[in-house]
Amino acid sequence: METLNTNIFKNNLQKVQNIINEYKIRDDVKLIAVTKYVDSKTIRELFHLGVRDFGENRSQDLLYKQEELKDINDEINWHFIGRLQRRPVKTIINKIDTLQSLDRMSLVEEVDKRANHPISSFLQVNISGELQKAGFKPEELLDIVHEIEKYPNIKVIGLMTMTPYDANEVELRKYFSQMKLLQEQVQKLNLPYAPCHELSMGMSNDFKIAIEEGATIIRVGSALFK
Ligand SMILES: *Cc1c(COP(=O)(O)O)cnc(C)c1O
């Protein structure tokens, strides 16, 4: 992990912000700065540039960085974006603002058990069906949503996906628009525990297309740090 020069950030942040503004067709698109590649000093610099939403994918890193940033931690929104194993759930679940990667029923159970309040969660969907990818299958999603009613500490505020690394624009648009339809389907169920108004999709390589296809949250890492 390295510390980067503030000017480079300012530039990259400005670039991303410009793209958000340019492509914005709705109210707002929220940027989560994915800081898994950088240290807490770098997070602090982004904070001073006005960024409040940060994404981490490892529980140990998250805890460590929170400790190093404890003087500003109350003002930061932490989003957990990675594959979460069962064991660390109890140590992190009450220290994050959203869980973006709720990807299997065993994790639903564990989160529900360890949380001390309803956790704002995103159901991760494996929209491309790649074997190595985590997430619920699109065709099982509505059943899963109904099943989650049994778990009072899970609040489904949206859906999240990651697209294949090598997808071309046509494929990306197909996956993103399928995600949008799914999100609307869940939202239309009008379930109190699953408002599902958010759609978290789009990373450094594809966030422009994701915004056009209806993302409300983009998760950008490498584009900020080069
Ligand atoms: C790393 C990561 C990102 C950011 O990826 P970049 O390509 O660096 O922008 C977004 N979402 C998840 C789940 C990630 O693991």
Side-chain angles (χ1 to χ4, degrees):
M1 293 191 195
E2 47 176 337
T3 306
L4 287 136
N5 177 298
T6 308
N7 280 328
I8 299 179
F9 282 152
K10 252 193 206 148
N11 247 319
N12 291 333
L13 195 59
Q14 194 57 54
K15 267 190 278 181
V16 176
Q17 215 63 59
N18 287 346
I19 291 163
I20 292 176
N21 292 337
E22 188 185 326
Y23 281 76
K24 182 163 70 177
I25 10 173
R26 303 170 309 280
D27 324 324
D28 214 6
V29 176
K30 181 152 85 183
L31 165 70
I32 294 179
V34 174
T35 44
K36 64 187 184 193
Y37 319 100
V38 298
D39 60 15
S40 54
K41 215 169 142 192
T42 307
I43 297 178
R44 193 179 290 277
E45 292 183 47
L46 278 175
F47 180 88
H48 289 305
L49 293 172
V51 182
R52 291 294 179 271
D53 291 274
F54 297 98
E56 288 286 334
N57 70 339
R58 289 185 175 183
S59 31
Q60 283 308 322
D61 290 350
L62 173 76
L63 294 171
Y64 186 70
K65 289 171 180 177
Q66 285 185 335
E67 180 59 26
E68 289 193 328
L69 297 166
K70 58 175 176 245
D71 55 315
I72 53 172
N73 199 34
D74 283 353
E75 292 171 71
I76 292 180
N77 304 317
W78 291 104
H79 305 274
F80 196 83
I81 62 172
R83 175 120 178 134
L84 183 55
Q85 300 303 326
R86 222 179 149 92
R87 204 132 56 114
V89 168
K90 61 175 179 297
T91 50
I92 68 148
I93 201 65
N94 297 304
K95 296 182 173 176
I96 58 175
D97 292 87
T98 74
L99 173 58
Q100 299 251 331
S101 47
L102 198 50
D103 59 3
R104 58 199 193 279
M105 278 316 284
S106 58
L107 186 60
V108 168
E109 281 171 27
E110 186 65 11
V111 169
D112 184 65
K113 186 164 134 194
R114 303 295 185 178
N116 62 20
H117 64 284
I119 303 297
S120 295
S121 307
F122 291 71
L123 298 181
Q124 184 172 347
V125 180
N126 182 358
I127 197 67
S128 58
E130 288 168 287
L131 289 176
Q132 75 279 16
K133 270 235 163 87
F136 294 106
K137 294 183 186 136
E139 61 271 23
E140 66 177 348
L141 194 71
L142 291 183
D143 287 343
I144 297 291
V145 168
H146 286 296
E147 210 170 322
I148 285 176
E149 184 170 18
K150 291 185 231 147
Y151 302 93
N153 278 338
I154 307 287
K155 185 173 184 189
V156 179
I157 65 164
L159 303 184
M160 183 276 245
T161 201
M162 289 172 82
T163 47
Y165 210 63
D166 55 358
N168 63 33
E169 183 174 338
V170 173
E171 291 164 334
L172 288 172
R173 286 193 191 278
K174 183 184 78 180
Y175 294 137
F176 288 146
S177 58
Q178 287 171 345
M179 285 297 299
K180 180 72 192 160
L181 282 174
L182 278 173
Q183 179 251 316
E184 286 173 346
Q185 266 182 299
V186 178
Q187 191 176 21
K188 276 187 197 139
L189 297 174
N190 257 316
L191 302 168
Y193 63 90
C196 202
H197 48 268
E198 304 283 1
L199 188 52
S200 175
M201 58 188 195
M203 316 191 345
S204 292
N205 290 332
D206 57 12
F207 69 88
K208 296 177 208 179
I209 298 171
I211 292 171
E212 288 181 338
E213 297 293 342
T216 64
I217 295 175
I218 58 173
R219 310 178 310 270
V220 179
S222 42
L224 291 176
F225 303 112
K226 65 183 177 212

